Amino acid sequence: MRIISVLLLMTSGLALTACGGGAGGSAGILAEKAGVCKINEDCSVNPDPGTTVADSDGDGIPDSDEDDGDGDGDTGSGAGGNTTTASTGNKTIALQLFALNKPAAGTTAISQLSATGYADMKAVEAAIMSTNKPKKLKFTIDTKTDKNSQWAVPVEMNEDEYGTRDLRWIPLGHVLPTFATATITDRGGNPLLYDPIKNSFFYTAASTYNDETFIAGEEVDYQHDDFYWNKIKAYMGTKANAGSGDKYREYRVKDEEANRDEVLQVWNWNDSYAVQYQNQIIQNDAKQQAWSFGGKKPTNLSTTGKSKFIGRFAATAKIKGWKAPKESDINPNTVWKVQGRSEVVADFDTSSVAGTLTPETWNSFQTKPDAYYTWSTSEAANPTAGNLTMPKSTATPATPDFKFYSAKIKLKGTIVAGTPATPTTPAVKDSYSGSAEINGFTPGDNAMQGGFFGTDGHETTGVFATTGTTTQQIGGSDGQIETFTGTESINGTFNGQCTAPGGACAP
């Protein structure tokens, strides 16, 4: 009998990190494993209150975390050492502990993807957007800032099959996924039982196949069995994985001796993809994060009119300073995995882009209930808007409806020439850049980059990072007002498909 650990997982939206604090969704390591901290759990050992920890380079990371201590002279990813410089590659947004690494005006961070066995980045991109995806990937970045050397020396990462095939992506797009009529059986024809709380499949009867014996109640090992995975992935829905379905891939390198704990997520849509890199070495907030995107450049992009794109987004959010009722079981001040609906309108007459990202679910690991917790907004219960048909969460003193749950993100940008002119072709205005702001919050540092993809530009993909603050006023009978300030920092990727085929689409 195979010994398979049961995934003690609750249904969630996009899981975007392990204890490194970000990705996403999604993203990062999506399931708890033996000896590894839970998603979003602070696994670090904090110093006593009032203790001063040396941070000689001012990067927010204690000096003790910057030395792997193995005596081999290799400082590893915890200490940085990146020497990458790049003039070509994908536009990228780089962050350190949720703070933007801001390059000089007029420049942007640049990242590249490479892999053993692929001639160049174009070949890697083609593989990402095919069914034969790379099993290894290397992510390199030039942040165009003086913090570039604090990033990890790039290494090739192996695909993390466990993360790629995490079943928590499946429920997106369903009220509660039911497989009663899906004819999902074991190899002997016995039906499998789907448990929506544990988010996995189990044998309903004893079964034997190829000298392997399975007992009733044993979990199906879909991570290492294509037979089961190919049957199950059809039920992921078009909204799973930020709309990329089963095209999502996750890569990871974890090497304690080399002081490395890094993750790379890849979302692939029809003609474009997005990447999130995280350095999770400090086991709290990600030391560094980077979001980038690329794809098939358009050759017949409209230069007039408007195009409207509808799709999905995935993000990582960090909440600070929020006050929760005394009765609350939910700590808002943590790192959350966020997913929802995206809408982008490109106006080629005015060379402008405007968009809205509407959160639908927020997910985090909560220590008080010792479980994963998901809040569904009213938008998630609105099928007329093309959103999820999940029931809206009910607010109680134990599970409050925090203001940040429903705060939309407003995108604003300018369309520019992304593909330069050649002696025989004009420059193509297939890129845009600008800002992303949390609606109703006072904006802080923010950035947004995007582009159009596919032969006729029928797809848009972009990345964003923004911080906003808002006040929470609590009045008293004596007329005194006590004001608390809450902060939301959120970064992620969005994608949209044109609402009509071929050329510009009417909103």
Side-chain angles (χ1 to χ4, degrees):
M1 183 183 76
R2 292 186 296 184
I3 304 300
I4 310 294
S5 62
V6 176
L7 296 180
L8 299 178
L9 303 175
M10 293 183 68
T11 301
S12 74
L14 290 178
L16 296 179
T17 61
C19 39
S26 343
I29 304 307
L30 303 180
E32 179 185 355
K33 303 178 186 179
V36 179
C37 63
K38 298 181 179 71
I39 295 175
N40 293 328
E41 183 180 7
D42 183 354
C43 306
S44 60
V45 178
N46 295 321
D48 294 333
T51 301
T52 300
V53 179
D55 178 19
S56 56
D57 62 5
D59 68 351
I61 314 300
D63 289 345
S64 59
D65 287 334
E66 301 187 1
D67 180 7
D68 62 8
D70 61 7
D72 65 359
D74 178 8
T75 54
S77 68
N82 178 38
T83 58
T84 301
T85 58
S87 57
T88 61
N90 288 335
K91 291 182 178 179
T92 303
I93 292 177
L95 304 102
Q96 188 151 315
L97 295 174
F98 276 86
L100 281 168
N101 283 184
K102 293 183 290 186
T107 64
T108 182
I110 295 291
S111 64
Q112 299 173 338
L113 294 171
S114 59
T116 300
Y118 295 87
D120 51 27
M121 187 166 165
K122 279 190 173 183
V124 171
E125 289 184 319
I128 287 174
M129 293 183 287
S130 73
T131 56
N132 187 26
K133 301 181 186 303
K135 289 294 184 182
K136 296 176 180 287
L137 271 183
K138 180 191 286 187
F139 176 87
T140 60
I141 185 170
D142 180 359
T143 66
K144 304 296 182 183
T145 71
D146 59 4
K147 296 182 182 298
N148 199 47
S149 63
Q150 296 174 7
W151 288 64
V153 177
V155 295
E156 208 165 46
M157 304 185 198
N158 294 314
E159 182 184 355
D160 181 5
E161 196 173 53
Y162 199 100
T164 291
R165 294 186 173 189
D166 192 294
L167 285 184
R168 282 179 290 166
W169 304 113
I170 292 180
L172 295 178
H174 302 269
V175 176
L176 278 178
T178 174
F179 299 89
T181 60
T183 320
I184 296 182
T185 66
D186 64 22
R187 294 178 188 272
N190 300 311
L192 297 176
L193 173 67
Y194 174 70
D195 186 328
I197 301 300
K198 295 176 180 176
N199 228 132
S200 198
F201 289 84
F202 297 85
Y203 293 97
T204 55
S207 179
T208 300
Y209 184 80
N210 280 354
D211 297 327
E212 288 187 283
T213 301
F214 312 96
I215 62 174
E218 183 178 352
E219 184 181 1
V220 172
D221 184 14
Y222 49 82
Q223 279 89 4
H224 298 95
D225 192 327
D226 287 337
F227 174 81
Y228 293 114
W229 177 247
N230 289 333
K231 281 196 169 191
I232 293 169
K233 67 181 182 180
Y235 298 93
M236 296 179 73
T238 58
K239 294 168 183 170
N241 285 347
S244 66
D246 68 340
K247 299 174 184 176
Y248 171 82
R249 290 296 183 275
E250 187 174 304
Y251 301 82
R252 193 181 189 197
V253 56
K254 184 173 176 64
D255 185 338
E256 292 184 3
E257 289 187 3
N259 196 30
R260 285 190 178 274
D261 190 355
E262 295 156 82
V263 67
L264 189 67
Q265 298 171 264
V266 182
W267 292 267
N268 170 31
W269 296 279
N270 294 335
D271 291 300
S272 62
Y273 67 91
V275 170
Q276 182 188 198
Y277 163 86
Q278 281 198 9
N279 181 356
Q280 301 179 342
I281 194 63
I282 60 174
Q283 294 187 335
N284 193 349
D285 295 346
K287 181 179 179 181
Q288 286 103 7
Q289 286 176 271
W291 293 88
S292 66
F293 62 97
K296 300 176 183 177
K297 294 288 188 178
T299 56
N300 186 29
L301 183 64
S302 297
T303 57
T304 60
K306 294 181 179 180
S307 295
K308 185 177 183 179
F309 303 85
I310 300 294
R312 308 289 302 167
F313 83 93
T316 304
K318 182 178 181 180
I319 303 299
K320 293 194 302 183
W322 221 268
K323 298 298 179 182
K326 183 178 180 181
E327 302 88 347
S328 177
D329 289 337
I330 304 305
N331 174 23
N333 300 306
T334 186
V335 177
W336 295 81
K337 301 168 289 289
V338 188
Q339 63 85 33
R341 183 173 183 261
S342 67
E343 181 175 314
V344 176
V345 176
D347 188 333
F348 291 97
D349 292 322
T350 60
S351 296
S352 63
V353 166
T356 301
L357 306 181
T358 303
E360 292 179 346
T361 60
W362 290 68
N363 177 266
S364 69
F365 184 85
Q366 292 287 328
T367 56
K368 191 169 184 179
D370 195 34
Y372 295 101
Y373 172 77
T374 298
W375 177 274
S376 299
T377 70
S378 58
E379 295 288 344
N382 183 8
T384 60
N387 300 341
L388 306 184
T389 53
M390 299 173 65
K392 182 184 183 301
S393 295
T394 301
T396 69
T399 59
D401 184 355
F402 295 108
K403 177 181 176 181
F404 59 82
Y405 285 148
S406 298
K408 299 180 180 182
I409 298 165
K410 297 295 185 179
L411 309 177
K412 181 187 292 185
T414 301
I415 302 174
V416 298
T419 302
T422 70
T424 57
T425 60
V428 180
K429 296 176 71 174
D430 55 13
S431 296
Y432 54 91
S433 61
S435 63
E437 296 184 359
I438 305 168
N439 197 37
F441 285 53
T442 302
D445 287 341
N446 67 88
M448 185 269 291
Q449 298 279 354
F452 306 107
F453 299 93
T455 302
D456 54 6
H458 60 261
E459 183 168 294
T460 189
T461 292
V463 295
F464 70 96
T466 184
T467 294
T469 59
T470 187
T471 56
Q472 308 165 72
Q473 292 185 340
I474 302 175
S477 59
D478 58 0
Q480 298 292 322
I481 295 179
E482 187 173 11
T483 300
F484 299 97
T485 300
T487 300
E488 175 184 340
S489 298
I490 185 168
N491 49 73
T493 182
F494 59 89
N495 171 267
Q497 303 294 319
C498 204
T499 56
C505 306

